[in-house]
Amino acid sequence: MYQCQICSHKIEPFISFGRMPIANGFLMPDQFSQEYFYNLVVGFCPECKMVQLLEFVDREKMFHEQYAFFSSTSSFMARHFALFAEKVMQDFLGEVRDPFVVEIGSNDGILLENFARQNIRHLGIEPSANVAEAAIKKGVKSICAFFDEEIARQVASESGQADAILAANVMCHIPYLHSVAAGIKILLKPGGVFIFEDPYLGDIVEKTAYDQIYDEHAFYFSLQSIHNLFSQYDLEIIHAEPLNVHGGSMRYYISHKGAKEPSPFVIKQIEKERMLGLHQYKIYELFRKSVEKSRDQLNQLLLSLKKENRRVVGYAATSKSTTVTNYCGITTDILEYISDTTPIKQGKCSPGAHIPVRPYEEFKANYPDYALLFGWNHAEEIMAKEKVFRNRGGKWIVYVPKVQIIE
Ligand code: SAH
Ligand code: TMP
Ligand code: ZN
């Protein structure tokens, strides 16, 4: 029996992807024999409504001095975070003297650099040393640590409480969320705000975006599950905002209970989740069926292209692609290589499926017939960049929200 990380109730498993490697564990052939695998299974807690992994990978296996994901590889995301910073400054820091901003999971400084540029007191808490180093080089103050209650206490005593605590695409990475929530309670000023964003459960289910499921994503949040967690710490959601990034995300604004007036959107969205069925097990069974169908359709399509001797290349070695390649059984039989702009991934092989990752220049120099878009969450940016590929007859294969060829 597996217990909910949040409320200890028994969780109901609803989909198993089988044995999976570390999503960002790109590796050299001489490391294949020691590759680490775990069981990727997701369950739903009928009590607090949290969707979560049953088995977690040790954090040190995922976040370390060779972490492969650098946030700043996407210029679209850089713009997204610049706008976010502007909003935080305007809406929450305007009236504050000498404000202090803390970010959890600050990576290479993509968000905090906007505060650093304005000489706003800030601190990034980032456990992966190589990306933290990149942030420091940009002038972003960062410490190399995992955020939890203890670090929160330490930062609060050394630098004082924060006016704003920010976190993007990291809250859902942390299995020990009770320690995180307790830390927020300690580190946040009485009138301060904690704002975080993560891929939204509603979008994942609606779009059959099963590739959002991998080791780093321990949780799949809804407003209801977030409310159930934070209310235990006398913290409340005062606002939420759907975002058009990473395939559909939600931004949550949290403050000390009673400090600010909650917006009507919060109640409306929780009701919408209830109507959609996100608070019941049944929808997750339907989700599993959709995922299986999506896998079969993608396999059929790739097989038919192979029979026609088409050249197919993967586009963007995202962490999500690890779930797709391993779950669908996509290998070098079908995919020549995966093109990616991140230097640390290039020259290595993809986790589990062992498909070579090659520099983007190779893609540009010799366009394939088809590109399987693993970076579908960056589709707008990528499609705009790849007009020549399409003009020369290149076709995209996408699988979210449904398997299709885009001519
Ligand atoms: N915020 C960035 C990075 C997201 S990737 C963005 O949105 O692009 C997740 C980051 O969180 C990684 O850099 C990882 O090292 C970091 N991380 C993982 N667990 C953490 C924890 N407990 N505390 C702080 N950061 C953590
Ligand atoms: P993400 O989906 O987890 O944000 O990962 C993005 C990956 O996609 C990262 O490895 C960089 C790669 N990428 C490209 O190769 N080309 C691009 O144009 C973009 C936007 C991303
Ligand atoms: Zn629970």
Side-chain angles (χ1 to χ4, degrees):
M1 183 186 99
Y2 287 91
Q3 280 187 323
C4 174
Q5 289 295 311
I6 306 301
C7 76
S8 301
H9 195 278
K10 178 174 174 282
I11 34 184
E12 310 284 348
F14 61 86
I15 188 164
S16 169
F17 293 92
R19 270 161 55 82
M20 280 281 162
I22 305 275
N24 267 310
F26 295 86
L27 70 181
M28 301 299 279
D30 65 357
Q31 297 171 305
F32 288 169
S33 62
Q34 294 126 48
E35 195 168 14
Y36 179 83
F37 288 87
Y38 68 100
N39 285 317
L40 181 57
V41 186
V42 196
F44 167 70
C45 173
E47 183 65 26
C48 77
K49 318 299 180 196
M50 188 66 90
V51 173
Q52 57 201 281
L53 298 189
L54 268 57
E55 201 175 295
F56 301 107
V57 171
D58 291 345
R59 61 189 193 178
E60 288 78 10
K61 282 198 167 70
M62 300 184 283
F63 310 116
H64 41 63
E65 68 295 338
Q66 298 258 39
Y67 187 55
F69 177 69
F70 282 70
S71 301
S72 298
T73 42
S74 164
S75 57
F76 185 91
M77 288 310 292
R79 207 159 49 243
H80 168 78
F81 286 125
L83 291 173
F84 180 30
E86 219 169 274
K87 195 178 165 101
V88 173
M89 288 179 217
Q90 267 175 17
D91 295 356
F92 299 102
L93 305 182
E95 313 278 294
V96 187
R97 253 193 61 230
D98 186 26
F100 178 41
V101 178
V102 172
E103 189 188 359
I104 304 171
S106 41
N107 199 277
D108 60 8
I110 190 167
L111 172 59
L112 281 185
E113 65 184 287
N114 298 286
F115 295 92
R117 233 178 269 129
Q118 302 289 330
N119 290 318
I120 292 175
R121 216 151 50 88
H122 64 273
L123 181 66
I125 299 166
E126 172 50 65
S128 298
N130 61 335
V131 293
E133 196 56 43
I136 292 166
K137 280 204 183 113
K138 285 184 193 166
V140 171
K141 212 175 153 211
S142 314
I143 54 169
C144 190
F146 288 96
F147 183 83
D148 59 12
E149 188 177 350
E150 197 189 320
I151 288 285
R153 199 165 274 129
Q154 193 182 312
V155 173
S157 78
E158 282 167 13
S159 311
Q161 285 178 307
D163 297 281
I165 304 176
L166 312 176
N169 307 302
V170 61
M171 282 294 282
C172 70
H173 290 54
I174 311 180
Y176 40 99
L177 276 184
H178 278 293
S179 173
V180 171
I184 299 292
K185 188 76 192 164
I186 293 165
L187 185 56
L188 193 65
K189 261 194 197 161
V193 63
F194 169 44
I195 314 174
F196 70 97
E197 60 188 60
D198 279 293
Y200 180 56
L201 178 65
D203 287 288
I204 294 172
V205 170
E206 218 171 300
K207 297 173 190 163
T208 318
Y210 66 91
D211 58 349
Q212 294 282 14
I213 299 169
Y214 53 90
D215 54 348
E216 290 184 21
H217 289 173
F219 296 105
Y220 306 86
F221 297 142
S222 61
L223 262 82
Q224 183 67 68
S225 61
I226 287 300
H227 166 80
N228 291 344
L229 167 66
F230 283 100
S231 57
Q232 295 180 40
Y233 294 84
D234 254 354
L235 292 163
E236 68 180 342
I237 311 178
I238 50 161
H239 187 49
E241 195 174 53
L243 301 172
N244 171 29
V245 294
H246 289 310
S249 291
M250 188 66 79
R251 183 178 282 164
Y252 307 85
Y253 296 72
I254 311 276
S255 71
H256 291 285
K257 195 166 170 53
K260 295 181 199 288
E261 184 69 25
S263 79
F265 179 81
V266 179
I267 300 288
K268 268 208 307 231
Q269 190 64 19
I270 289 179
E271 181 55 20
K272 191 171 161 193
E273 289 175 351
R274 201 181 62 76
M275 301 287 284
L276 281 170
L278 293 178
H279 305 162
Q280 301 283 330
Y281 182 75
K282 202 172 109 209
I283 197 162
Y284 303 105
E285 277 186 317
L286 297 174
F287 172 74
R288 185 190 62 236
K289 288 190 181 125
S290 303
V291 172
E292 287 164 357
K293 198 166 133 198
S294 171
R295 174 195 59 192
D296 296 346
Q297 287 175 344
L298 183 59
N299 276 339
Q300 263 169 20
L301 174 62
L302 293 174
L303 203 65
S304 67
L305 295 176
K306 184 179 149 83
K307 280 190 188 141
E308 293 168 17
N309 280 322
R310 302 289 183 192
R311 282 187 62 221
V312 188
V313 158
Y315 195 104
T318 56
S319 17
K320 293 183 288 298
S321 69
T322 296
T323 297
V324 179
T325 51
N326 287 283
Y327 176 61
C328 299
I330 300 169
T331 61
T332 44
D333 246 18
I334 290 169
L335 226 53
E336 229 176 272
Y337 65 90
I338 305 175
S339 157
D340 197 280
T341 52
T342 318
I344 196 173
K345 295 182 185 176
Q346 296 163 355
K348 294 188 177 155
C349 295
S350 74
H354 301 161
I355 301 163
V357 180
R358 304 245 170 88
Y360 168 62
E361 288 66 33
E362 221 164 292
F363 177 82
K364 252 174 102 170
N366 182 14
Y367 287 130
D369 301 308
Y370 291 83
L372 176 52
L373 186 56
F374 289 129
W376 58 267
N377 50 317
H378 301 291
E380 199 182 323
E381 176 174 355
I382 291 170
M383 299 279 180
K385 197 161 89 179
E386 299 301 349
K387 289 206 175 94
V388 179
F389 167 59
R390 248 164 113 177
N391 289 342
R392 297 215 187 141
K395 297 184 178 85
W396 291 104
I397 303 168
V398 294
Y399 49 87
V400 174
K402 59 175 198 226
V403 175
Q404 59 181 324
I405 290 173
I406 300 174
E407 308 252 347

